[in-house]
PDB file of all heavy atoms in Angstrom:
ATOM      1  N   MET A  14      30.741  63.802 -45.322  1.00 93.00           N
ATOM      2  CA  MET A  14      30.355  62.700 -44.453  1.00 93.00           C
ATOM      3  C   MET A  14      29.649  63.256 -43.219  1.00 93.00           C
ATOM      4  O   MET A  14      29.986  64.336 -42.719  1.00 93.00           O
ATOM      5  CB  MET A  14      31.580  61.890 -44.026  1.00 93.00           C
ATOM      6  CG  MET A  14      32.338  61.228 -45.156  1.00 93.00           C
ATOM      7  SD  MET A  14      31.413  59.933 -46.007  1.00 93.00           S
ATOM      8  CE  MET A  14      31.511  58.593 -44.812  1.00 93.00           C
ATOM      9  N   VAL A  15      28.654  62.537 -42.743  1.00 92.00           N
ATOM     10  CA  VAL A  15      27.872  62.996 -41.598  1.00 92.00           C
ATOM     11  C   VAL A  15      28.777  63.122 -40.374  1.00 92.00           C
ATOM     12  O   VAL A  15      29.573  62.227 -40.075  1.00 92.00           O
ATOM     13  CB  VAL A  15      26.714  62.020 -41.298  1.00 92.00           C
ATOM     14  CG1 VAL A  15      25.980  62.436 -40.022  1.00 92.00           C
ATOM     15  CG2 VAL A  15      25.750  61.975 -42.474  1.00 92.00           C
ATOM     16  N   ARG A  16      28.663  64.239 -39.665  1.00 92.00           N
ATOM     17  CA  ARG A  16      29.389  64.452 -38.413  1.00 92.00           C
ATOM     18  C   ARG A  16      28.530  63.909 -37.271  1.00 92.00           C
ATOM     19  O   ARG A  16      27.757  64.633 -36.651  1.00 92.00           O
ATOM     20  CB  ARG A  16      29.665  65.945 -38.213  1.00 92.00           C
ATOM     21  CG  ARG A  16      30.565  66.560 -39.266  1.00 92.00           C
ATOM     22  CD  ARG A  16      32.019  66.191 -39.035  1.00 92.00           C
ATOM     23  NE  ARG A  16      32.918  67.007 -39.852  1.00 92.00           N
ATOM     24  CZ  ARG A  16      34.223  66.910 -39.836  1.00 92.00           C
ATOM     25  NH1 ARG A  16      34.805  66.039 -39.029  1.00 92.00           N
ATOM     26  NH2 ARG A  16      34.982  67.667 -40.600  1.00 92.00           N
ATOM     27  N   TRP A  17      28.676  62.625 -37.000  1.00 91.00           N
ATOM     28  CA  TRP A  17      27.778  61.974 -36.046  1.00 91.00           C
ATOM     29  C   TRP A  17      27.931  62.510 -34.632  1.00 91.00           C
ATOM     30  O   TRP A  17      26.991  62.445 -33.845  1.00 91.00           O
ATOM     31  CB  TRP A  17      28.019  60.460 -36.059  1.00 91.00           C
ATOM     32  CG  TRP A  17      27.545  59.826 -37.323  1.00 91.00           C
ATOM     33  CD1 TRP A  17      28.299  59.467 -38.397  1.00 91.00           C
ATOM     34  CD2 TRP A  17      26.197  59.513 -37.664  1.00 91.00           C
ATOM     35  NE1 TRP A  17      27.511  58.941 -39.381  1.00 91.00           N
ATOM     36  CE2 TRP A  17      26.222  58.941 -38.960  1.00 91.00           C
ATOM     37  CE3 TRP A  17      24.980  59.638 -37.013  1.00 91.00           C
ATOM     38  CZ2 TRP A  17      25.064  58.515 -39.602  1.00 91.00           C
ATOM     39  CZ3 TRP A  17      23.829  59.205 -37.646  1.00 91.00           C
ATOM     40  CH2 TRP A  17      23.874  58.653 -38.926  1.00 91.00           C
ATOM     41  N   TYR A  18      29.093  63.033 -34.281  1.00 90.00           N
ATOM     42  CA  TYR A  18      29.324  63.515 -32.926  1.00 90.00           C
ATOM     43  C   TYR A  18      29.150  65.030 -32.801  1.00 90.00           C
ATOM     44  O   TYR A  18      29.451  65.596 -31.762  1.00 90.00           O
ATOM     45  CB  TYR A  18      30.716  63.111 -32.442  1.00 90.00           C
ATOM     46  CG  TYR A  18      30.782  61.689 -31.950  1.00 90.00           C
ATOM     47  CD1 TYR A  18      31.125  60.658 -32.810  1.00 90.00           C
ATOM     48  CD2 TYR A  18      30.485  61.364 -30.634  1.00 90.00           C
ATOM     49  CE1 TYR A  18      31.185  59.344 -32.376  1.00 90.00           C
ATOM     50  CE2 TYR A  18      30.542  60.052 -30.193  1.00 90.00           C
ATOM     51  CZ  TYR A  18      30.892  59.051 -31.059  1.00 90.00           C
ATOM     52  OH  TYR A  18      30.947  57.738 -30.624  1.00 90.00           O
ATOM     53  N   GLY A  19      28.669  65.680 -33.848  1.00 87.00           N
ATOM     54  CA  GLY A  19      28.354  67.093 -33.729  1.00 87.00           C
ATOM     55  C   GLY A  19      27.179  67.285 -32.783  1.00 87.00           C
ATOM     56  O   GLY A  19      26.186  66.548 -32.858  1.00 87.00           O
ATOM     57  N   PRO A  20      27.224  68.263 -31.868  1.00 85.00           N
ATOM     58  CA  PRO A  20      26.147  68.436 -30.886  1.00 85.00           C
ATOM     59  C   PRO A  20      24.758  68.587 -31.518  1.00 85.00           C
ATOM     60  O   PRO A  20      23.806  67.949 -31.073  1.00 85.00           O
ATOM     61  CB  PRO A  20      26.566  69.707 -30.127  1.00 85.00           C
ATOM     62  CG  PRO A  20      28.049  69.742 -30.249  1.00 85.00           C
ATOM     63  CD  PRO A  20      28.351  69.200 -31.605  1.00 85.00           C
ATOM     64  N   LEU A  21      24.645  69.402 -32.557  1.00 85.00           N
ATOM     65  CA  LEU A  21      23.343  69.572 -33.204  1.00 85.00           C
ATOM     66  C   LEU A  21      22.885  68.281 -33.880  1.00 85.00           C
ATOM     67  O   LEU A  21      21.691  67.943 -33.852  1.00 85.00           O
ATOM     68  CB  LEU A  21      23.407  70.713 -34.217  1.00 85.00           C
ATOM     69  CG  LEU A  21      23.612  72.117 -33.639  1.00 85.00           C
ATOM     70  CD1 LEU A  21      23.678  73.154 -34.768  1.00 85.00           C
ATOM     71  CD2 LEU A  21      22.481  72.478 -32.668  1.00 85.00           C
ATOM     72  N   GLN A  22      23.861  67.571 -34.488  1.00 82.00           N
ATOM     73  CA  GLN A  22      23.512  66.304 -35.136  1.00 82.00           C
ATOM     74  C   GLN A  22      23.045  65.277 -34.116  1.00 82.00           C
ATOM     75  O   GLN A  22      22.080  64.534 -34.348  1.00 82.00           O
ATOM     76  CB  GLN A  22      24.713  65.756 -35.902  1.00 82.00           C
ATOM     77  CG  GLN A  22      24.433  64.505 -36.707  1.00 82.00           C
ATOM     78  CD  GLN A  22      23.344  64.730 -37.721  1.00 82.00           C
ATOM     79  OE1 GLN A  22      23.517  65.520 -38.648  1.00 82.00           O
ATOM     80  NE2 GLN A  22      22.214  64.080 -37.548  1.00 82.00           N
ATOM     81  N   LEU A  23      23.698  65.223 -32.964  1.00 79.00           N
ATOM     82  CA  LEU A  23      23.274  64.301 -31.911  1.00 79.00           C
ATOM     83  C   LEU A  23      21.866  64.619 -31.435  1.00 79.00           C
ATOM     84  O   LEU A  23      21.045  63.712 -31.242  1.00 79.00           O
ATOM     85  CB  LEU A  23      24.254  64.383 -30.737  1.00 79.00           C
ATOM     86  CG  LEU A  23      25.643  63.762 -30.962  1.00 79.00           C
ATOM     87  CD1 LEU A  23      26.570  64.114 -29.798  1.00 79.00           C
ATOM     88  CD2 LEU A  23      25.547  62.250 -31.116  1.00 79.00           C
ATOM     89  N   LEU A  24      21.558  65.904 -31.278  1.00 80.00           N
ATOM     90  CA  LEU A  24      20.217  66.292 -30.838  1.00 80.00           C
ATOM     91  C   LEU A  24      19.170  65.948 -31.888  1.00 80.00           C
ATOM     92  O   LEU A  24      18.101  65.411 -31.572  1.00 80.00           O
ATOM     93  CB  LEU A  24      20.179  67.787 -30.527  1.00 80.00           C
ATOM     94  CG  LEU A  24      20.923  68.239 -29.260  1.00 80.00           C
ATOM     95  CD1 LEU A  24      20.937  69.762 -29.181  1.00 80.00           C
ATOM     96  CD2 LEU A  24      20.269  67.659 -28.016  1.00 80.00           C
ATOM     97  N   GLN A  25      19.479  66.252 -33.151  1.00 78.00           N
ATOM     98  CA  GLN A  25      18.516  65.979 -34.214  1.00 78.00           C
ATOM     99  C   GLN A  25      18.265  64.479 -34.375  1.00 78.00           C
ATOM    100  O   GLN A  25      17.118  64.030 -34.442  1.00 78.00           O
ATOM    101  CB  GLN A  25      19.017  66.559 -35.535  1.00 78.00           C
ATOM    102  CG  GLN A  25      18.063  66.292 -36.709  1.00 78.00           C
ATOM    103  CD  GLN A  25      18.690  66.609 -38.048  1.00 78.00           C
ATOM    104  OE1 GLN A  25      19.906  66.529 -38.205  1.00 78.00           O
ATOM    105  NE2 GLN A  25      17.871  66.962 -39.017  1.00 78.00           N
ATOM    106  N   THR A  26      19.345  63.714 -34.421  1.00 73.00           N
ATOM    107  CA  THR A  26      19.187  62.269 -34.589  1.00 73.00           C
ATOM    108  C   THR A  26      18.474  61.655 -33.389  1.00 73.00           C
ATOM    109  O   THR A  26      17.596  60.805 -33.545  1.00 73.00           O
ATOM    110  CB  THR A  26      20.560  61.609 -34.786  1.00 73.00           C
ATOM    111  OG1 THR A  26      21.235  62.223 -35.891  1.00 73.00           O
ATOM    112  CG2 THR A  26      20.412  60.124 -35.046  1.00 73.00           C
TER     113      THR A  26
END
Side-chain angles (χ1 to χ4, degrees):
M14 298 294 284
V15 175
R16 297 283 193 179
W17 290 100
Y18 279 92
L21 293 179
Q22 185 59 65
L23 288 171
L24 289 173
Q25 179 192 28
T26 304

